[in-house]
Amino acid sequence: MDRVAYLDFVAVPILFVLIYAAFIRKMTKGPSNRLFLGLLGISVLTTVSDAVTAVLCTNPPISDAAVVVVSVFAGIYHIFHTLTGVLYLLFIMSETRTWYWMKQKHRMVITFVPYFVVIMLLAANIFTGCIYTVDPYEGYKRGPLMFIVYIIAAVYMVWGSAYIMTRGKMLSRSWVFSLLSMYIMIAASVLYQMLFPKYLVEMIMTALGELFISLLVLRPEDHLDYSTGMPSFKAYSNEVRKICRNKIHEKIIVMRFIDASQLRRYLGEEKYLSFVKSIAYRVSDRCTKCGLYFDIYLEQPGNIYLIIDNYDFDFESVVNYIYTDMIVDIREVESNGAKVIPRFCEIRYPEDTNSPDTIFNIGHQFHRIIPYDQFYTKAFDIINSEGFSIRNNMDLILNRAIRDRKFEMYYQPIYSIKDGRFVSAEALIRLFDDEHGFVSPALFIPAAERKGLMIPIGDFVLESVFRFISDNDFSELGLSYIELNLSVAQCLQNDLADKIFTLEKKYHINPERVNLEITETTYENIGDITDMNIKRLSENGFSFSLDDYGTGYSNMHRISRLPLKIIKIDKTMVDDMVNKAGMSVLSNTVSMMKDIDKEIVCEGVETKEQLDTLTSLGVDFIQGYYFSKPLPAEKFVEFIRERNHV
Ligand code: C2E
Ligand code: MG
Ligand code: MG
């Protein structure tokens, strides 16, 4: 029978474009990508061998040489055609992250047994012609056992389809459809060839199925970090979700650099990226040497995730080797003056936790919970700590607090050295959660900023403080003003100034009674809105302080231009007074601030010695546990009455 192979020929350019695209789109790493590349390569070989057979048999009788060539190519065709089914099944397993299923030898054998049957039959075919024969007059002819080859192809198809369907719950619908499309295409082509045996369409249909997968399943734009070409955090989170849905035992290693964003700023984008890439490469290399099955992912600015299939492998034992491998890169970066501090955390699924969100939170938070010098952490050791549990449940805690109005304002007295009494206080928010107890604002304020919950919290702070000022006779108490913290999100509000003016009228407050604290981060983010807010408020009599001076990158030029009345020197700078350098920085800071007419508050003063030194340096105000911790409103008023001898 003469067969027309033109359509199948079209598959070849499509396949080459797909292979080329795979390299251009960097879809070459990881089991799925490699299997897919393998599939494409095999499809090319299948197509070519099928086409050669068809072309040579077009005009019988054919020469003896052609008979030999056709026999060989028909054999190649069957070998690769059946292999396509096997590889595609493996690809599906890899996409559904059920590789582990194959780890057991007998399963591997089961998967390949049908394929070996075909190979045996093809070997037998050389002597018996049981699968096919090639005749000079009739060309290629099916043999009596050909049906077994078809059945085996069908077995792989049914197996794969069943796999996709049963695991479908963990994949998106479009994904299921795209994975199934390959089978649908092949089934359609078989049907078509039964109706129109003259036209070969199977390979073009297979190529189209592969096109679908390349476009819809393997989407590097979703899974790659383009600045490094490595799989991204999104890819990692997809894998973790798959692991959790399928309950696969895996070990996850998170490696991160403390203060990575600072490191990046310091080194510059290009140097930093090549550093991170090199580190990732070394980690990968060491894991390969240790015989691990793993995938590696990168989250900017510099968190590396490893998902390791070898659940029982003691990773801690190789961490020192990894560090030694990295030391060249670290030394190079540190020779530029930067500091590189890597930290590792090991998470076991499902032993430590079975929730994907907890796995992500551990990766993002562990370095904040462990002691500063702890190099390797096991998630198990921190997961039950209060520190982690609060961080892990922050969404819930915040929503509950906003819903049930769980916030309260405390006031920390501020002492004036010149006047020898307390003249003001800083309003500090407190949150007491029913389940977790006291939750520090240093934890929940940044979280609220990230979740966009800072506006209602900020509104509560403003309202409470204005009410507090109006409820008390400040002149009688000898108090001048209350300092209150404004968050970045609040300063970016269009109507912040109007909100404050409304409260001013509502509570009949003299604006001099209110001092607004902003941080360096706020004015780093300064935009027209923040600028306008600060301008309108200070023109109307509200004063401003710069909080946490000494923790960021202070810019004196900018500070001198902002309408700031007070500079609040951070506790870390006060603590640094114990050493000579710290002392000199502090005393220079104080005299510089005095030169530009700023008043100075020192925060976190805990001892008499600190107080005395700061007094001798000419600091104006003192805030700290030495005098008092933050107090609830009534206690604060009591404290002031007593200490200011009202
Ligand atoms: P901050 O504005 O720099 O507040 C000073 C922090 O230092 C307070 O921590 C205070 O309790 C603590 N502190 C004061 N004296 C001492 C001391 O002698 N020793 C020690 N160890 N600590 C001392 P707190 O209340 O935990 O607040 C932490 C941060 O949370 C604040 O730092 C501020 O940035 C933020 N925050 C607190 N309340 C509010 C608020 O109402 N609104 C906004 N936007 N942020 C707030
Ligand atoms: Mg403050
Ligand atoms: Mg501060």
Side-chain angles (χ1 to χ4, degrees), residues 1 13-14 41 54 82 97 133 191 204 232 244 248 293 340 370 376 393 467 474 499 537 546 563 572:
M1 176 183 57
I14 295 180
T82 316
R97 210 181 171 86
T133 50
L191 202 70
I204 177 120
S232 63
C244 295
I248 308 161
Y293 297 100
V340 181
I370 55 170
Y376 194 85
N393 292 302
R467 193 182 320 113
F474 269 40
K499 255 186 198 171
L537 286 162
L546 180 68
T572 46

Side-chain angles (χ1 to χ4, degrees), residues 426 428 485 517 547-548 568 603:
E426 175 169 6
L428 293 161
N485 294 281
E517 290 188 7
D547 200 357
D548 301 341
K568 300 194 74 172
E603 294 183 305

Side-chain angles (χ1 to χ4, degrees), residues 4-16:
V4 182
Y6 302 129
L7 278 174
D8 259 7
F9 273 128
V10 179
V12 177
I14 295 180
L15 290 167
F16 274 114

Side-chain angles (χ1 to χ4, degrees), residues 346-544:
E346 167 188 314
I347 311 163
R348 291 165 308 169
Y349 176 89
E351 226 162 310
D352 295 338
T353 171
N354 55 14
S355 136
D357 290 329
T358 304
I359 293 178
F360 303 141
N361 280 339
I362 295 174
H364 286 143
Q365 304 283 357
F366 76 92
H367 62 297
R368 303 213 169 98
I369 299 160
I370 55 170
Y372 187 72
D373 55 357
Q374 189 170 319
F375 191 61
Y376 194 85
T377 307
K378 295 198 168 164
F380 176 79
D381 294 331
I382 53 168
I383 217 153
N384 295 317
S385 72
E386 191 57 23
F388 180 72
S389 147
I390 288 179
R391 284 177 162 88
N392 199 27
N393 292 302
M394 197 47 98
D395 279 7
L396 189 83
I397 294 174
L398 276 173
N399 287 320
R400 192 155 57 194
I402 292 172
R403 191 193 61 205
D404 304 342
R405 298 167 200 275
K406 285 284 178 197
F407 298 109
E408 192 184 336
M409 293 315 292
Y410 274 40
Y411 297 88
Q412 185 176 29
I414 296 177
Y415 182 81
S416 159
I417 295 177
K418 186 178 84 196
D419 299 334
R421 64 185 170 86
F422 295 91
V423 292
S424 61
E426 175 169 6
L428 293 161
I429 195 166
R430 291 293 174 260
L431 162 55
F432 297 96
D433 183 67
D434 290 340
E435 199 177 313
H436 298 277
F438 172 71
V439 181
S440 163
L443 279 186
F444 76 77
I445 298 275
E449 293 256 15
R450 282 197 298 274
K451 314 264 179 231
L453 294 173
M454 207 45 226
I455 302 298
I457 298 176
D459 289 348
F460 165 84
V461 172
L462 286 169
E463 181 94 32
S464 315
V465 172
F466 276 72
R467 193 182 320 113
F468 174 76
I469 297 174
S470 103
D471 283 350
N472 290 282
D473 187 344
F474 269 40
S475 322
E476 186 208 353
L477 292 170
L479 293 175
S480 305
Y481 53 85
I482 297 290
E483 294 177 7
L484 73 86
N485 294 281
L486 285 182
S487 65
V488 178
Q490 279 177 292
C491 292
L492 290 171
Q493 271 181 296
N494 254 322
D495 59 346
L496 177 73
D498 292 322
K499 255 186 198 171
I500 293 180
F501 298 149
T502 310
L503 288 169
E504 176 193 343
K505 293 207 183 72
K506 179 174 170 190
Y507 290 104
H508 309 290
I509 300 289
N510 176 354
E512 284 176 10
R513 294 271 185 247
V514 182
N515 177 277
L516 302 162
E517 290 188 7
I518 55 171
T519 60
E520 290 174 87
T521 332
T522 312
Y523 77 66
E524 260 171 29
N525 291 320
I526 217 158
D528 293 346
I529 300 175
T530 316
D531 232 357
M532 182 200 64
N533 279 328
I534 295 179
K535 194 157 167 266
R536 284 184 68 200
L537 286 162
S538 56
E539 278 171 4
N540 280 278
F542 291 91
S543 62
F544 281 86

